[in-house]
Amino acid sequence: MKIQKLYITAAIAAAAVVSACNGGAPKAPSNLPVYLDDTKPIEERIEDALSRMTTDEKVAMVHAQSKFSSPGVPSLGIPAIWCTDGPHGIRTEVLYDEWDQAGWTNDSCTAYPALTALAATWNLELSELYGKSIGEEARYRNKTVLLGPGVNIQRSPYNGRSFEYMGEDPYLSSKMVVPYIKGVQSNGVAACVKHFALNNQEINRFTTNVNVDDRTLYEIYLPAFKAAVQEGGAWTLMSAYNLYKEQFCGENQYLLDDILRGEWGFDGVVVSDWGGIHSPDGVIPHGVDIEYGSWTNGLTMGKTNAYDQYHMADAYKERLADGRADMETLDARVRRILRLEFRTNMNRERPFGQFTSDAHYAAARKIGSEGIVLLKNEGSILPINASSVKKVLVVGENAIKMMTVGGGSSSLKVKKEVSPLDGIKAKLAGKAEVSYERGYIGTTYSSYNGVTAKVDLSESRTPEKCLSDAVAAAKDADYVIYVGGLNKEEGQDCEGADRTEFNLPYGQDAVISALAKVSKNLVVINISGNPYAMPWVNEVPAIIQDWYLGSEAGNSLADVLFGDVTPSGKLPFTFPVAYEDCPIRTEAQYPGILSNATGGATDVPTRILQEQYSEGIFVGYRWYEKESIKPMFPFGYGLSYTTFEYGQAKISKTFMTASQTLTVTVPVTNTGKVAGAEIVQLYIADAEASVVRPAKELKGFDKVSLKPGETKTVSFTIDASALSFFDADKHDWVAEPGKFTAIVAASSEDIKSCVDFELK
Ligand code: BGC
């Protein structure tokens, strides 16, 4: 008995040694200083570390030491903080002080679908899978902070960066952002939610001052950030480049001190956008916690003291010494940064991550195929039967262009990218002949930030010849699959500039119309992160809204085209018929009017663009419904290969008080022949209010998978928050007693049934 007991004890001890060697469970011995003792609460460890730091060490922590890193506390063994873009994959390594690539050969990542695609899945589980997977890649590459996700609202279809965000609706983006953050942070890597706030365009992003009323700010532009902080528990946020109330967002008292840290109780770190800080006196009192990417003279003229010239470096020390800055504010910043360190780098229990694994490609493929939106399928020409089709012609530059290369800071160097053409070829291998025609010439050279796409886009033919060759080839194809849309070139979906036209570029409208004349089985697939005009909508039988889908783009698309996956994505933004239909009507609304700055901040240029968000809360479907403008395709719209029938919605009771909830249920049946998933949406309409309210607003959704013939009952809980508007005078959310309608719908336009209730 005794021998056996000894034996067991030895085994436990051995296991503990093995576990310790693996960096696993055992805690640090208790003779360590408090800040290293992870049996102690984080707040105690922070105070201990802070008490051991010199002023120089504190100041060092609040600004960059290289392009993407800031120091920890070397004397205490607290590691540096390393950031990486974000938000669709882990950015390739750049040189220590430069944007140029470092030329590493081990940093080619997995590219995940763009965030518009994720939003189009309306699937919270996939958002968590996305976050977990990309977080694993960041962790594997030893990054502390992943610079994403982006949640700026799509206000205009011209925004060059819409593809990095989650659409036009604050509720949808609030729900979708939370699991992404939790997934990333489960790796001990911080998500960095960007760009806080009101960064809804790329043009003039450094000189635009947004004028927006409080109600619009709180109802439309802040909810996703608030959810990220309060529900997602985001550890970091990135300030935006633009101005609000004539203060740069990275130096903004209202956004950072009053709202984020004050009203929302954010205890994490705010990092500046790269180069978004403009003066010590702007940033020190209430700006960001860490300043990154400032383009000081030091960086361009002399590298020895470059980072000392940051606005929160030597200038901070001078101000501490002469009393213009106080230690309390600096300590508060350092506490937040130490908290980030303990949550990430100093967390000895965080996992190790993984990189370009099969599981990651599988995740990217699944998210991609679930995000694809089927817009039109006349005569059910889709899915294509891979066993009976003989000749398929693929047309369009986007069928071969590497879409992970380009677009700004989210550009990636990937280990693999399956193009739409390759995805289609793989599906039809040994079954049908697949040929390719370019159809139009967009770009002939594809290289970005040191990454050259592995595809030759040079072209010797004229655009006319490209088109006539495509039309000739289309004549005897069973199916013509057109893959076009926007791309990641400047002026398309790309950081740093906005789009300049609503139509598809490079003469694609004419190409699509010409193909439609010779093929009755034309499938138009457009890749984009924005809506665009479709003058050919009635000429073509099938349209698919594809997105930038990353490494598995072609496989995700082929899965949907050939019916291995039943499409189940729905639009996260409205497709208006024409740009003129959208809420942006005047120069004052966009891109703003050049005027004198009046706020008095010394670092603000004397002339700035004053932009008026005078459309107020009427953004996206809220606008089209108010103005009775019929869009081309409404928010929340998407078809399937099967059909769904909705039963009558029922409500648990016909009245509630502000502290109660009620439940709306609706049975949904798959009435078609294949399995599929339906996104059931709940909108709330306020019949009578003391303020103008949208016709209805999204307040719930659920994605249900149904086998043929199967029925499931979807249930939504309504509480006072779903009925509230932001009362600017009271500076609070108000749910006014009165009548409301709960609307169950398949899109913002396709209403299935309504139930009335009253708030007493
Ligand atoms: C972008 C950020 C990005 C940063 C670092 C900026 O230009 O606006 O979104 O994370 O660069 O690359």
Side-chain angles (χ1 to χ4, degrees):
M1 193 66 177
K2 207 170 176 190
I3 291 171
Q4 199 183 5
K5 202 173 165 190
L6 258 180
Y7 181 77
I8 291 170
T9 314
I12 292 170
V17 170
V18 170
S19 177
C21 292
N22 291 341
K27 301 286 180 190
S30 56
N31 59 355
L32 281 175
V34 171
Y35 78 94
L36 285 178
D37 181 351
D38 50 14
T39 62
K40 295 274 190 308
I42 280 189
E43 297 308 311
E44 233 176 87
R45 299 171 70 194
I46 291 171
E47 292 311 318
D48 183 56
L50 189 71
S51 73
R52 296 166 191 266
M53 289 172 67
T54 64
T55 302
D56 281 3
E57 283 174 326
K58 292 177 187 174
V59 172
M61 262 195 146
V62 301
H63 63 273
Q65 63 173 5
S66 79
K67 258 294 165 228
F68 278 98
S69 76
S70 55
V73 193
S75 68
L76 298 181
I78 296 178
I81 287 170
W82 278 92
C83 304
T84 178
D85 285 300
H88 306 140
I90 307 310
R91 185 177 177 146
T92 179
E93 298 292 336
V94 299
L95 292 172
Y96 201 66
D97 294 314
E98 310 286 343
W99 290 108
D100 297 337
Q101 280 202 42
W104 292 21
T105 50
N106 62 347
D107 57 347
S108 301
C109 68
T110 308
Y112 294 89
L115 292 189
T116 37
L118 177 64
T121 68
W122 300 56
N123 185 334
L124 301 178
E125 281 168 25
L126 286 190
S127 178
E128 173 135 26
L129 175 67
Y130 191 127
K132 179 178 166 286
S133 310
I134 194 172
E136 281 169 350
E137 299 233 339
R139 175 69 188 100
Y140 188 87
R141 297 220 48 80
N142 278 321
K143 304 300 178 190
T144 319
V145 179
L146 173 75
L147 302 176
V151 290
N152 295 99
I153 288 291
Q154 195 199 71
R155 173 176 179 250
S156 154
Y158 277 10
N159 183 10
R161 269 184 115 168
S162 292
F163 70 102
E164 287 189 63
Y165 304 138
M166 296 191 181
E168 72 184 25
D169 183 68
Y171 183 84
L172 177 62
S173 35
S174 298
K175 288 289 157 195
M176 292 302 289
V177 73
V178 168
Y180 180 116
I181 294 166
K182 290 189 171 159
V184 170
Q185 295 188 167
S186 67
N187 294 287
V189 170
C192 184
V193 188
K194 62 194 193 180
H195 305 89
F196 189 66
L198 300 162
N199 186 174
N200 307 304
Q201 68 193 52
E202 287 301 289
I203 185 172
N204 305 321
R205 59 181 176 166
F206 301 104
T207 48
T208 296
N209 180 52
V210 174
N211 294 280
V212 60
D213 62 81
D214 278 3
R215 180 172 171 209
T216 304
L217 180 69
Y218 277 79
E219 286 190 21
I220 304 293
Y221 297 102
L222 293 185
F225 290 103
K226 185 179 179 190
V229 167
Q230 295 193 331
E231 294 165 46
W235 293 333
T236 72
L237 241 79
M238 185 191 290
S239 61
Y241 281 135
N242 49 283
L243 301 105
Y244 166 63
K245 288 193 195 266
E246 296 200 6
Q247 292 179 354
F248 284 104
C249 287
E251 308 175 357
N252 205 289
Q253 179 181 354
Y254 310 99
L255 291 174
L256 301 183
D257 262 356
D258 298 352
I259 298 175
L260 179 66
R261 296 175 186 135
E263 291 175 21
W264 300 349
F266 181 60
D267 69 358
V269 167
V270 184
V271 305
S272 73
D273 199 344
W274 267 237
I277 298 304
H278 299 265
S279 84
D281 298 319
V283 68
I284 289 172
H286 31 238
V288 299
D289 299 307
I290 310 180
E291 175 190 4
Y292 283 112
S294 294
W295 297 306
T296 62
N297 282 342
L299 282 176
T300 52
M301 287 157 63
K303 285 183 186 158
T304 46
N305 63 350
Y307 297 97
D308 296 339
Q309 294 180 33
Y310 268 45
H311 304 294
M312 290 217 287
D314 283 355
Y316 208 151
K317 288 186 204 164
E318 280 162 27
R319 281 160 179 74
L320 284 167
D322 68 19
R324 279 178 293 162
D326 58 79
M327 192 55 79
E328 206 186 320
T329 310
L330 178 61
D331 280 349
R333 281 195 166 96
V334 174
R335 279 193 186 93
R336 292 191 284 264
I337 301 170
L338 288 169
R339 194 172 293 123
L340 173 66
E341 294 273 16
F342 288 121
R343 285 166 165 171
T344 56
N345 298 334
M346 305 285 281
N347 171 4
R348 299 191 316 139
E349 287 180 12
R350 64 180 179 158
F352 295 98
Q354 47 175 278
F355 200 55
T356 55
S357 60
D358 287 349
H360 286 185
Y361 289 122
R365 184 169 181 164
K366 185 165 170 48
I367 296 161
S369 61
E370 261 208 41
I372 288 171
V373 183
L374 179 63
L375 296 177
K376 186 174 178 186
N377 192 15
E378 221 169 68
S380 297
I381 69 161
L382 291 175
I384 303 171
N385 185 337
S387 318
S388 62
V389 73
K390 292 278 171 292
K391 260 185 129 175
V392 169
L393 173 70
V394 178
V395 182
E397 190 173 290
N398 284 354
I400 57 168
K401 186 171 163 51
M402 272 186 83
M403 291 295 195
T404 53
V405 180
S409 55
S410 63
S411 182
L412 295 171
K413 183 170 89 178
V414 292
K415 198 164 204 169
K416 125 171 161 188
E417 178 173 345
V418 180
S419 69
L421 180 61
D422 286 343
I424 292 165
K425 276 186 173 163
K427 251 334 161 210
L428 293 177
K431 293 181 179 156
E433 181 193 323
V434 181
S435 51
Y436 174 72
E437 277 296 337
R438 187 169 184 163
Y440 66 90
I441 306 168
T443 31
T444 49
Y445 177 71
S446 185
S447 158
Y448 194 85
N449 191 24
V451 179
T452 301
K454 296 171 210 138
V455 52
D456 181 8
L457 291 178
S458 60
E459 180 61 68
S460 54
R461 292 171 296 174
T462 61
E464 294 72 26
K465 181 77 171 103
C466 281
L467 173 56
S468 62
D469 286 353
V471 170
K475 283 180 184 150
D476 65 340
D478 301 338
Y479 269 86
V480 176
I481 302 175
Y482 177 85
V483 189
L486 307 181
N487 56 29
K488 301 268 194 79
E489 303 292 319
E490 192 172 310
Q492 307 288 323
D493 283 326
C494 185
E495 181 179 342
D498 281 347
R499 295 167 66 201
T500 50
E501 58 168 345
F502 191 56
N503 281 69
L504 291 178
Y506 317 129
Q508 292 180 71
D509 289 338
V511 179
I512 296 171
S513 289
L515 292 171
K517 288 204 177 77
V518 295
S519 169
K520 59 178 190 350
N521 285 337
L522 171 63
V523 183
V524 174
I525 296 157
N526 283 317
I527 297 175
S528 77
N530 264 311
Y532 42 83
M534 298 188 194
W536 32 261
V537 66
N538 295 323
E539 300 163 27
V540 305
I543 307 172
I544 282 178
Q545 175 58 30
D546 204 357
W547 317 96
Y548 304 103
L549 294 186
S551 286
E552 291 283 349
N555 287 333
S556 299
L557 176 62
D559 285 345
V560 169
L561 277 177
F562 295 94
D564 299 301
V565 169
T566 301
S568 65
K570 293 200 177 187
L571 292 176
F573 51 74
T574 310
F575 268 71
V577 174
Y579 178 73
E580 291 66 37
D581 291 350
C582 89
I584 315 296
R585 301 287 174 101
T586 65
E587 195 188 337
Q589 280 176 292
Y590 175 89
I593 293 176
L594 198 60
S595 327
N596 286 334
T598 54
T602 49
D603 59 345
V604 170
T606 44
R607 302 277 284 165
I608 50 177
L609 281 141
Q610 293 289 2
E611 197 172 66
Q612 312 296 334
Y613 281 27
S614 50
E615 71 284 357
I617 55 169
F618 295 99
V619 173
Y621 63 89
R622 291 164 169 78
W623 167 259
Y624 299 101
E625 293 184 359
K626 170 173 164 277
E627 298 292 309
S628 305
I629 298 170
K630 192 166 167 49
M632 178 73 76
F633 294 108
F635 172 80
Y637 171 86
L639 300 172
S640 171
Y641 294 152
T642 186
T643 45
F644 300 101
E645 208 173 277
Y646 286 62
Q648 175 61 44
K650 289 205 180 93
I651 198 153
S652 56
K653 50 188 183 176
T654 52
F655 64 88
M656 63 184 267
T657 64
S659 58
Q660 293 174 333
T661 59
L662 49 78
T663 309
V664 172
T665 50
V666 62
V668 181
T669 307
N670 180 345
T671 49
K673 293 196 176 69
V674 293
E678 171 69 339
I679 298 161
V680 184
Q681 298 155 46
L682 175 82
Y683 295 83
I684 299 285
D686 187 354
E688 215 186 297
S690 60
V691 293
V692 183
R693 299 205 67 180
K696 62 178 184 297
E697 294 180 279
L698 183 74
K699 293 296 171 188
F701 61 86
D702 195 8
K703 190 165 192 175
V704 271
S705 295
L706 295 165
K707 295 190 204 83
E710 192 182 6
T711 301
K712 280 184 189 160
T713 296
V714 176
S715 162
F716 300 104
T717 303
I718 298 174
D719 61 15
S721 73
L723 315 178
S724 306
F725 62 87
F726 189 79
D727 185 324
D729 295 333
K730 294 194 176 123
H731 198 78
D732 206 356
W733 292 89
V734 170
E736 274 180 354
K739 293 199 168 106
F740 291 85
T741 307
I743 300 164
V744 172
S747 77
S748 61
E749 217 175 69
D750 187 4
I751 293 173
K752 299 297 186 185
S753 66
C754 300
V755 275
D756 294 335
F757 63 95
E758 206 178 327
L759 177 71
K760 298 250 186 198

